[in-house]
Amino acid sequence: MKKNKLLRNLFIILVFIFLYLPIIILVLYSFNDSKMNIVFTHFTLRWYKELFQNDNLLNAFTNTMIIAVASTVISTIIGTISAVGLHKYKFPMKNLINGLIYIPIVIPEIVLGISLLSIYTLSKLELGMFTILLSHIAFSIPFVITSVRSTLNSITPQIEEAAYDLGATKFKTFWYVTLPMITPGVVSGATLAFTLSLDDVVISYFTAGPGSNTLPLKIYSMIKTGITPDVNALSTLILLVTILVLSSSAIYQAKKIQKREMI
């Protein structure tokens, strides 16, 4: 029994090492004095200084953040409304639509990228920031719908019915009753949409145009010539912000769920 427990713990440790060792190395080499990411020589902060002098890298990061924030806001609004509609109302071909929602989630990104590029070409829509934004909204909406709908399935309809009995309109019931209860799902879907948009390469590669370079595409283009340590510095800063956002989101959702269970 003790042997099985030891093997289990060892396996868990190996999994965590496999997952997080590359991230630790990336953070470590952002402080490496050597320009080559091979041997750690001396501790330095100069790559963080050079990062803010690299206009091309910062412009790519700015484009990425603009697209990620905009696509997250739009896809979260559309996805939340769609999830509520699919959950509450009955209409023709509802089951078919429920099935079609999962297609953008399960199909390879390269297929979705080629499909979107074909649509933009047929529509004679010039490739650029706008087409990347539309693409990110398109593949983010199904994730938001799935997240919000799972939360909707866990709430009791009697609470909404009580609001109707007290004279609340459908809009007020949604805004003051339903939305606060599904907020954890909305936040989870928004976080997932933001993360997917932030690190997308394949779909952005097919739908990007001149002057619409994003950070993942910029880093991808640097692979042939070598990735400079200021990219490690930027990645470390992004990682730090991501950890803070995810931690805040997890704490917020936990409090919401706890509060909902007390009702």
Side-chain angles (χ1 to χ4, degrees), residues 164-186:
Y164 293 139
D165 291 339
L166 293 172
T169 62
K170 288 186 177 181
F171 176 77
K172 284 187 175 181
T173 301
F174 171 77
W175 188 258
Y176 293 106
V177 179
T178 307
L179 186 58
M181 289 192 296
I182 65 172
T183 298
V186 175

Side-chain angles (χ1 to χ4, degrees), residues 190-203:
T191 304
L192 185 59
F194 181 79
T195 304
L196 291 170
S197 175
L198 192 67
D199 68 352
D200 179 74
V201 177
V202 177
I203 295 175

Side-chain angles (χ1 to χ4, degrees), residues 118-186:
S118 301
I119 293 174
Y120 298 149
T121 303
L122 290 173
S123 304
K124 296 181 180 180
L125 193 61
E126 184 178 355
L127 298 181
M129 291 281 287
F130 182 66
T131 53
I132 298 177
L133 176 61
L134 288 179
S135 303
H136 286 208
I137 293 171
F139 72 70
S140 296
I141 288 176
F143 290 94
V144 178
I145 292 176
T146 304
S147 177
V148 175
R149 193 162 56 177
S150 63
T151 308
L152 281 166
N153 291 332
S154 65
I155 66 175
T156 55
Q158 287 80 6
I159 299 176
E160 293 178 324
E161 293 174 1
Y164 293 139
D165 291 339
L166 293 172
T169 62
K170 288 186 177 181
F171 176 77
K172 284 187 175 181
T173 301
F174 171 77
W175 188 258
Y176 293 106
V177 179
T178 307
L179 186 58
M181 289 192 296
I182 65 172
T183 298
V186 175

Side-chain angles (χ1 to χ4, degrees), residues 220-251:
Y220 180 75
S221 65
M222 295 171 64
I223 292 177
K224 294 181 180 179
T225 57
I227 297 177
T228 55
D230 51 357
V231 175
N232 294 339
L234 178 58
S235 300
T236 301
L237 294 176
I238 294 174
L239 178 64
L240 178 61
V241 173
T242 302
I243 292 174
L244 292 175
V245 171
L246 290 177
S247 300
S248 302
S249 175
I251 294 172

